[in-house]
Structure formats: C-alpha cells, structure tokens
Amino acid sequence: MDKMEIIELEQEKPKPEFNFKTARTSGRMIFETNNLVIGYTSPLSKPIEFRLERNQKIAITGANGLGKTTLIKSLLGIIKPISGFVTKGEFLEVGYFEQEIKDANHNTCIEEVWQDFPSLDQRDIRTMLAKCGLTTKHIESKVMVLSGGEQAKVRLCKLMNKPTNVLILDEPTNHLDIYAKDELKRALKEYKGTVLLICHEPEFYEDFVDHIIDCKQWSNKI
Ligand SMILES: Nc1ncnc2c1ncn2[C@@H]1O[C@H](COP(=O)(O)OP(=O)(O)OP(=O)(O)O)[C@@H](O)[C@H]1O
Ligand SMILES: [Mg+2]
C-alpha cells in the first residue's frame, strides 16, 4: 500500500528536465549601447554604456519599477530609446522569456507548442511538454486555465526546443516550484550560449553568472 501511494504521488508531480538547444555560434559582440537613455515618455535612466559579449552570463538586479524590463525591451528593439543607440551583434538567435503575458491564451498546451514546431507530430509535442514537468491533464488543457508555474513551463518548453545562442530571461523563476527552479539553474549553468537574466533571487544565479549589474547605478528613480 505504501509503495502504491509513492508511485501515485510521483506521477502527479513529474520532475522537469530542462535542456536548451543551441544554435550556431553568434558574433563576439551581442549588444552594445552608446549613451542609451531608456523610458516611455520621460527618461527612466541616465545614459547607459552596456556591453554583452558572447558566452557571458549576466544577471540584472534591482528594485521593482527601476526599468529592468524596459532595458531588455530596448536592447531587443521592442521599445525605442529616448536617446542614444543599441547595436546588435551578428548571427544572434535570441530566445526571450517575457516577464508577463497579459493576453488570455485560448490554445491548449499542445496547440501552443505545435504552432512553433509544425513539422513535429503530436507525440513529439506531448513528450516535450511532459519533459517540462507537465501532466497529461495539463498538456491537454487550455494554457489560460493553468497556474502561473505551469504556464511558465509551457513557455520554457517553447524556448528550450528552439535553437538559440542568446537567452534573455525576465524573471523566469517567479512562479516556479523548487524542483523546476533547481532544474532551470542546472540547465542555464550548462547552456553553451550567452545569458542575460533578470532575477531577484541571488541563490538562483550567483553560482553561474560572471557579472551582476544593479540597475540602481543608472536608474533615475533612485
Ligand atoms: N508601457 C509603458 N508605458 C509607460 N510606462 C511604463 C510602461 N511599462 C512600464 N512603465 C513604467 O516604467 C517603469 C519601469 O518599468 P519596468 O517594467 O521596466 O520595471 P522593472 O525594473 O522591470 O520592475 P519589476 O521588478 O517590477 O519587473 C515603471 O515605473 C513602470 O510603471
Ligand atoms: Mg520587470
């Protein structure tokens, strides 16, 4: 009887296995900024000189609302700078994990992942999702009914199966349970590309990053 209960519990909580696929090597410079001032209508920052090089792993930290997400979106060209420039390197294959996805997603998890990998068959998609720690019930559910942690696993599933050489991760650990967090940490340590990570948890990143940038050094809000 004891044994049966253990088996059942393990089935309910499958352990995730994260492995990020890598693309061809990028150029040496990934992002470089010159006098970059970020913001929407008014400047959020002083001029920022930031350079990210191939294979560096950098964490960006700092209090809420200082402009970490805005910096990342400015580097990616999603938001126009108030002034100054961003230069992007060559042959970048960027994987971007957004902090928040606000729109309700009516796709099932299978549909959500399949649309990014249309040449695979449904069994492959199910296997990919199961490897990310999702149960059959989750996999067949609509993304919008899943918990924050389960939705993060669906997004990580899409991200890690696409070959990349740069990962830009905006608070990826926010909703993850301890098993998923440890596994993500292991996978990022092992990743053979460049990582730019926003995170509020030093115990998550301090083992594998080369630099930590506190955005209070350029924020206008301090
Ligand atoms: N689309 C927008 N239009 C105008 N202002 C915005 C917009 N998005 C964010 N802001 C403002 O810009 C500032 C910086 O926001 P940002 O999301 O970059 O902060 P953050 O450092 O990522 O914070 P957190 O740790 O909470 O994620 C905040 O004051 C925020 O209210
Ligand atoms: Mg943010």
Side-chain angles (χ1 to χ4, degrees):
M1 216 21 222
D2 281 346
K3 217 174 182 180
M4 278 182 70
E5 274 171 19
I6 290 166
I7 289 165
E8 219 171 75
L9 277 177
E10 281 182 354
Q11 276 175 353
E12 273 174 33
K13 280 204 162 225
K15 293 245 168 76
E17 278 176 47
F18 296 147
N19 288 295
F20 290 93
K21 293 210 163 108
T22 41
R24 62 166 292 186
T25 308
S26 66
R28 171 137 187 235
M29 185 272 285
I30 309 291
F31 293 116
E32 186 165 42
T33 70
N34 297 98
N35 285 313
L36 174 70
V37 176
I38 59 168
Y40 299 89
T41 44
S42 55
L44 277 171
S45 74
K46 303 178 181 78
I48 302 171
E49 306 296 333
F50 171 74
R51 186 178 164 94
L52 181 64
E53 294 213 348
R54 183 175 62 216
N55 296 347
Q56 275 187 319
K57 293 183 178 169
I58 291 185
I60 300 177
T61 65
N64 295 134
L66 292 190
K68 300 177 297 298
T69 298
T70 308
L71 172 64
I72 274 189
K73 289 188 172 168
S74 306
L75 294 174
L76 288 170
I78 298 167
I79 294 174
K80 277 204 179 138
I82 300 264
S83 60
F85 303 95
V86 176
T87 313
K88 275 193 203 178
E90 289 187 307
F91 313 117
L92 304 189
E93 299 290 342
V94 177
Y96 176 36
F97 184 94
E98 282 187 72
Q99 183 176 4
E100 274 176 74
I101 307 282
K102 291 206 179 86
D103 301 336
N105 188 333
H106 292 266
N107 283 341
T108 65
C109 297
I110 296 174
E111 288 163 348
E112 181 64 20
V113 176
W114 214 347
Q115 70 187 12
D116 282 14
F117 305 95
S119 64
L120 299 183
D121 63 31
Q122 193 185 130
R123 214 180 38 180
D124 298 328
I125 304 291
R126 283 176 179 269
T127 306
M128 282 154 60
L129 282 159
K131 273 207 170 152
C132 288
L134 294 160
T135 62
T136 307
K137 197 174 146 222
H138 297 146
I139 290 171
E140 293 172 354
S141 301
K142 287 191 177 193
V143 175
M144 60 187 275
V145 307
L146 299 182
S147 72
E150 290 153 2
Q151 291 193 26
K153 287 173 186 171
V154 176
R155 293 204 280 137
L156 287 169
C157 179
K158 295 201 291 182
L159 195 64
M160 71 185 57
N161 284 290
K162 184 186 104 171
T164 60
N165 50 32
V166 183
L167 288 175
I168 311 239
L169 308 170
D170 194 346
E171 304 201 23
T173 58
N174 276 359
H175 300 280
L176 295 182
D177 57 52
I178 183 73
Y179 300 109
K181 240 185 240 187
D182 282 352
E183 178 56 9
L184 182 60
K185 181 179 180 173
R186 191 203 57 73
L188 291 178
K189 240 185 227 179
E190 215 168 77
Y191 179 66
K192 296 279 189 286
T194 309
V195 177
L196 185 59
L197 166 78
I198 298 177
C199 187
H200 293 285
E201 298 172 73
E203 60 285 4
F204 178 75
Y205 59 75
E206 60 195 3
D207 291 355
F208 70 87
V209 298
D210 315 299
H211 290 292
I212 301 167
I213 297 177
D214 190 331
C215 61
K216 74 176 177 213
Q217 58 183 262
W218 47 253
S219 177
N220 263 349
K221 290 189 146 191
I222 302 277

